[in-house]
């Protein structure tokens, strides 16, 4: 029986399905509801209240659900962004619903929260740059929205209303593109909706170099393929690996692999130095075939 062996950190299995497309689709519908108002159309009580309910259900509801699911899946960035943005869309609902009822919320307090949101999203933008250029552009669009809103408020002007409208449309388009990429690309098996790689690259921590142990396995596996379970002399193994170790010793790794059950050693009779012979055990053969040859991945 083949025993599945897991190398390194255990692969994380998400508890729930990937929730990001849900949040992004809800965001795009919320942006669509705001677009006519952003361009100056449907500035009526009916228009405000219709957009308000769509902002609540899709903009806030879908993103809040997506944020909670992301937290369950231990996705800190996704959970933080979607949940924070969900409450922001709840505020949009309240503002629009209030305007539809003839009540105008206090502009200064609303603007103060938007400045705070701008600071928050600027920092998140940098963080998302380590994941994807497209996600970085997505957050930049949000940043520019808040920059324009802040500029309007500070200058006491409506000059930035049109850029706000275009950034709202852009946010909806980017949301749909990323959502479609996450939904369609894996299904189609090809990048119909390309997503670029990271904008920034984090400094990698030094990892363990397993190349020598893999080379030991490779030499002994080839020997097993030609000679079955007949052992190989330790000197022959040393000669085969000499170019890789460059004068170093393979003995610590050989004895470690033997202790873990992957190798079978024949000791010398009281003589110092390495073992007399070495070969792969059945467990060692399974290990090499699973990890390198991917024997457990059936097509």
């Amino acid at each position: 029986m083949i025993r599945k062996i897991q190398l390194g950190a255990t692969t994380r299995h998400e508890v729930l399905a990937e929730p990001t497309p849900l949040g992004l689709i809800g965001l795009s519908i919320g942006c669509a509801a705001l677009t006519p108002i952003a361009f100056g159309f449907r500035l009526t009580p009916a228009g405000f209240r219709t957009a308000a309910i769509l902002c609540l259900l899709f903009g806030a509801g879908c993103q809040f659900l997506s944020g909670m699911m992301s937290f369950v899946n231990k996705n800190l960035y996704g959970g933080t962004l979607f949940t924070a943005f969900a409450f922001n869309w709840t505020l949009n609902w309240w503002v629009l619903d209030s305007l539809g009822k003839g009540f105008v919320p206090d502009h200064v307090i609303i603007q103060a929260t938007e400045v705070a949101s701008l600071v928050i999203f600027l920092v998140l933008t940098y963080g998302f740059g380590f994941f994807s250029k497209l996600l970085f552009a997505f957050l930049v669009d949000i940043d520019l929205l808040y920059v324009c809103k802040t500029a309007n408020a500070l200058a006491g002007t409506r000059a930035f209303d049109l850029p706000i409208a275009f950034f709202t449309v852009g946010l909806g388009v980017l949301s749909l593109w990323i959502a479609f990429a996450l939904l369609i690309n894996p299904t189609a098996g090809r990048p119909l909706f390309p997503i670029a790689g990271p904008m920034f690259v984090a400094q990698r921590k030094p990892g363990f170099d397993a190349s020598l142990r893999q080379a030991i396995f490779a030499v002994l596996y080839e020997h097993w393929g030609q000679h079955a379970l007949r052992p190989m002399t330790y000197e022959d193994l040393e000669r085969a690996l000499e170019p890789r170790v460059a004068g170093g010793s393979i003995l610590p790794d050989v004895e470690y692999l033997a202790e873990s059950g992957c190798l079978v050693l024949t000791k010398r009779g009281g003589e110092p130095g390495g073992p007399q012979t070495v070969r792969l055990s059945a467990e060692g053969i399974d290990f090499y075939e699973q990890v390198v040859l991917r024997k457990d991945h059936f097509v």
Side-chain angles (χ1 to χ4, degrees):
M1 179 179 179
I2 298 175
R3 180 168 63 89
K4 175 66 177 176
I5 300 170
Q6 182 70 48
L7 282 183
T10 303
T11 303
R12 180 172 64 88
H13 298 284
E14 295 180 338
V15 177
L16 304 172
E18 172 57 57
T20 302
L22 171 64
L24 292 174
I25 288 174
L27 174 59
S28 67
I29 294 176
C31 289
L34 288 180
T35 296
I37 294 175
F39 279 102
F41 303 108
R42 316 310 297 173
L43 302 180
T44 63
F48 288 139
R49 299 193 69 180
T50 302
I53 192 63
L54 291 170
C55 288
L56 178 64
L57 293 177
F58 292 96
C62 289
Q63 290 190 84
F64 182 77
L65 180 58
S66 180
M68 293 298 100
M69 293 172 68
S70 295
F71 281 131
V72 171
N73 286 341
K74 303 187 186 305
N75 180 353
L76 176 62
Y77 266 89
T80 301
L81 177 65
F82 279 125
T83 307
F85 219 26
F87 286 108
N88 192 290
W89 278 86
T90 305
L91 177 62
N92 288 340
W93 160 74
W94 177 75
V95 169
L96 290 170
D97 188 66
S98 298
L99 291 174
K101 295 176 180 177
F103 172 76
V104 180
D106 187 279
H107 174 72
V108 175
I109 294 177
I110 296 294
Q111 186 56 46
T113 63
E114 290 181 343
V115 171
S117 296
L118 173 59
V119 174
I120 293 168
F121 285 119
L122 281 172
V123 177
L124 288 177
T125 300
Y126 173 73
F128 272 92
F130 289 94
F131 294 94
S132 165
K133 293 185 179 71
L134 191 57
L135 287 174
F136 183 81
F138 173 79
L139 268 296
V140 167
D141 190 291
I142 297 175
D143 297 337
L144 292 174
L145 263 172
Y146 282 103
V147 167
C148 291
K149 288 183 177 182
T150 302
N152 264 351
L154 293 178
T157 179
R158 310 299 301 178
F160 294 95
D161 282 359
L162 190 58
I164 289 173
F166 281 115
F167 287 133
T168 301
V169 173
L171 184 60
V173 171
L174 286 171
S175 299
L176 282 179
W177 186 276
I178 299 172
F180 291 158
L182 294 174
L183 290 170
I184 303 301
N185 289 355
T187 304
R190 58 185 185 276
L192 296 177
F193 296 89
I195 297 182
M199 174 71 71
F200 313 118
V201 178
Q203 184 176 1
R204 294 185 178 274
K205 297 180 180 179
F208 172 72
D209 183 7
S211 60
L212 176 57
R213 293 180 187 176
Q214 186 170 345
I216 293 172
F217 272 110
V219 171
L220 292 176
Y221 186 80
E222 182 180 0
H223 179 83
W224 169 76
Q226 297 174 358
H227 305 285
L229 294 179
R230 185 184 307 167
M232 182 181 197
T233 66
Y234 181 72
E235 288 75 13
D236 287 343
L237 180 62
E238 280 188 311
R239 281 192 291 270
L241 296 172
E242 177 61 29
R244 180 173 293 275
V245 297
S249 175
I250 65 171
L251 183 59
D253 290 278
V254 167
E255 292 194 341
Y256 169 79
L257 293 175
E259 188 71 19
S260 67
C262 293
L263 303 184
V264 177
L265 306 182
T266 301
K267 297 291 186 179
R268 299 180 187 273
E271 298 180 17
Q276 183 174 353
T277 63
V278 56
R279 67 172 176 85
L280 287 176
S281 65
E283 185 175 359
I285 293 170
D286 280 343
F287 179 89
Y288 184 74
E289 290 178 337
Q290 287 179 32
V291 173
V292 178
L293 304 183
R294 315 284 287 176
K295 182 170 67 174
D296 59 322
H297 285 238
F298 301 103
V299 179

